[in-house]
Amino acid sequence: MRYRLLIWAALAAFAIDQISKVLVVHVMRVAEGDIDVLPPLLVFKYGENRGINFGLFQGNTEAARWVLIGVSIAISAAVLVWLMRSAPSKIMLLSGGLLIGGALGNVLDRVLYGYVLDFLNMSCCGINNPFVFNLADVFIFAGAIGLILFDGKKPS
């Protein structure tokens, strides 16, 4: 099957995201206090994201929650259709799978909790980063960058 890589990448991104949230949020109980992993470079801090990546466009209403769920599903579907209608390279299939798996991981959070669970905080070089994110955000970002950089089109 031509799209096996996309499916496996999506499933892996989704599973890794959800397992990491269960471990850090529910097992390690990061909501009870920050966990220094490699301070200040990597600290686990609890966050509830009602917006999009990195807390942008925060919305505390049920309508905003369902709009963001719909947008995430629509983008995932659009990426899937785009890849199925083109002749994607393996790196594009991998990238699309990462993006879709990450987006659906955050969708599941919104359905279950009403917000996205975040726990990663990275600071460096005297700059204190106030934002938290999760592995789904990393997969979404990496997938989008991969799709942009390796879309197979030659520059004109």
Side-chain angles (χ1 to χ4, degrees):
M1 181 177 173
R2 184 174 163 192
Y3 299 98
R4 186 173 289 148
L5 179 59
L6 181 135
I7 293 165
W8 280 110
L11 288 172
F14 180 86
I16 290 167
D17 171 64
Q18 290 299 304
I19 290 168
S20 71
K21 290 171 183 172
V22 167
L23 289 175
V24 176
V25 176
H26 300 293
V27 175
M28 297 172 72
R29 299 179 187 266
V30 71
E32 295 175 7
D34 295 352
I35 300 170
D36 291 334
V37 180
L38 292 169
L41 184 61
L42 178 60
V43 177
F44 292 166
K45 293 183 178 201
Y46 181 74
E48 296 176 359
N49 184 353
R50 288 170 169 77
I52 59 172
N53 284 19
F54 305 108
L56 299 172
F57 306 112
Q58 290 287 332
N60 289 327
T61 67
E62 276 297 296
R65 169 187 174 197
W66 290 103
V67 165
L68 289 173
I69 288 170
V71 167
S72 295
I73 291 171
I75 290 171
S76 296
V79 168
L80 183 61
V81 168
W82 173 54
L83 289 172
M84 291 178 77
R85 289 185 177 175
S86 65
S89 65
K90 286 183 179 181
I91 192 77
M92 286 182 66
L93 292 171
L94 175 65
S95 298
L98 292 176
L99 188 149
I100 291 167
L104 295 180
N106 282 345
V107 163
L108 182 60
D109 283 7
R110 288 187 199 286
V111 169
L112 293 177
Y113 310 112
Y115 49 81
V116 173
L117 293 172
D118 286 335
F119 63 88
L120 294 170
N121 175 264
M122 300 182 81
S123 296
C124 180
C125 314
I127 299 170
N128 185 18
N129 175 17
F131 299 107
V132 289
F133 56 100
N134 60 45
L135 290 177
D137 296 334
V138 173
F139 293 135
I140 293 166
F141 185 77
I145 293 297
L147 288 172
I148 291 167
L149 292 178
F150 302 105
D151 73 351
K153 295 180 183 174
K154 295 180 182 175
S156 38

